[in-house]
Amino acid sequence: MAVSAKDVKALRDVTGAGMMDAKKALTAADGDMEAARQMLREQGLAKADARSGRDNDQGAIAVAGDGRAAAVVQLKCETDFSAKNAGFTSLVQTLADSVLSGGPGAVDTHAAGIEDLKLVLKENIEVGVVEHIQADDGNVLDSYLHRQDGRGVNAVVVEGSGVGAEALHQVALHVAFAKPQFLSASEIPAAEIERERAALLEITKAEGKPEPAWDKIVDGRMRGWYAERVLLEQGLHGEKTAVKDSIGGGSIVRFVQVLIGD
């Protein structure tokens, strides 16, 4: 049967299919829009499976929170062009909102929406990191989402105890750009510390430093090494005041950071 250009356009709008594919599907389905859509969906998902092994280090991140709980979701794709798509950014925010209210497993309820996006954008799209953070009693959360070209690319959630709202927010901003690996030095594996200390000792020896000064020199260099990795030892926003001294006697309980392309 003949199909109208209007119907072809309508089918293309909801499926992202090419003009000829949409026309063929409508013809095969005798003009039944839903049957044609399902036909294209099945064909598209088969192609999507073939794309599943392709690199997808682009994407977008969304954050949802209410002060006591927070959710961070990363949705991955192949290109930044697709990551900036309105449907893509809308879906990742929907995922974060669902995780906030329903926990990490809530992303599974949006499997059909993710599959539909694969069909429209024709890329390897999948959920990446999913975090659900619940503050302990008496603690508070702060979050920061850095956006680039309309999509979230760098998300941080920080939990504090006895820390003022503005001070906690400044810590969240600091984490976003300093990208610490650990909260405190005690979290670093002992073997990693020993390897670094041994390497710095060899460097100090090779520089011809006097032996009585070796330990002191290595200690100083280790402080610099800690400051590169440990949040509490870093200078807030690169200044002299350490993060641990900027929170008014309170404490940072934990932090979470999720990045695109990292």
Side-chain angles (χ1 to χ4, degrees):
M1 64 169 289
V3 296
S4 69
K6 181 180 178 181
D7 285 345
V8 171
K9 182 180 184 303
L11 184 59
R12 292 186 66 197
D13 287 344
V14 296
T15 64
M19 182 177 69
M20 292 307 298
D21 287 338
K23 186 174 181 179
K24 288 177 182 178
L26 278 168
T27 300
D30 292 328
D32 186 323
M33 185 70 71
E34 189 55 39
R37 179 178 179 177
Q38 183 60 30
M39 190 180 302
L40 287 172
R41 180 181 176 82
E42 291 171 357
Q43 293 171 357
L45 289 177
K47 293 178 181 178
D49 285 342
R51 292 192 289 267
S52 63
R54 299 198 318 214
D55 289 342
N56 58 353
D57 58 358
Q58 287 296 319
I61 303 168
V63 176
D66 59 12
R68 294 282 300 129
V72 181
V73 176
Q74 177 193 59
L75 190 61
K76 302 168 69 177
C77 63
E78 297 174 39
T79 65
D80 59 353
F81 179 80
S82 289
K84 293 181 283 188
N85 175 275
F88 193 96
T89 56
S90 176
L91 178 58
V92 70
Q93 186 61 59
T94 297
L95 292 172
D97 292 340
S98 293
V99 170
L100 177 65
S101 59
V107 296
D108 296 337
T109 64
H110 297 278
I114 295 171
E115 289 180 350
D116 286 343
L117 202 58
K118 289 180 182 179
L119 300 181
V120 172
L121 298 179
K122 297 179 174 60
E123 288 195 7
N124 179 19
I125 296 171
E126 63 180 343
V127 175
V129 178
V130 177
E131 297 280 359
H132 183 271
I133 305 97
Q134 181 70 50
D136 291 338
D137 289 344
N139 293 354
V140 293
L141 300 176
D142 190 87
S143 63
Y144 172 72
L145 180 64
H146 182 67
R147 296 181 182 276
Q148 186 178 80
D149 297 327
R151 58 171 176 147
V153 296
N154 183 346
V156 175
V157 177
V158 180
E159 180 178 353
S161 175
V163 182
E166 180 57 27
L168 192 61
H169 186 60
Q170 291 303 316
V171 173
L173 291 174
H174 171 88
V175 170
F177 299 102
K179 301 177 183 177
Q181 297 171 256
F182 305 96
L183 174 62
S184 66
S186 63
E187 294 180 353
I188 304 177
E192 187 174 337
I193 294 174
E194 291 172 6
R195 282 195 302 270
E196 184 62 23
R197 189 172 186 88
L200 290 175
L201 178 58
E202 291 305 313
I203 291 172
T204 302
K205 290 178 180 179
E207 291 173 342
K209 305 296 184 183
E211 184 173 351
W214 286 353
D215 286 344
K216 185 175 181 180
I217 293 171
V218 171
D219 286 344
R221 288 174 169 173
M222 285 298 294
R223 284 193 292 272
W225 183 78
Y226 284 127
E228 292 176 357
R229 293 159 176 78
V230 177
L231 172 60
L232 296 178
E233 304 300 326
Q234 293 178 334
L236 184 68
H237 303 316
E239 301 296 332
K240 290 184 178 181
T241 302
V243 169
K244 64 184 178 183
D245 298 323
S246 72
I247 50 180
S251 62
I252 303 300
V253 177
R254 57 177 162 164
F255 72 91
V256 169
Q257 183 170 32
V258 180
L259 301 163
I260 290 296
D262 185 69

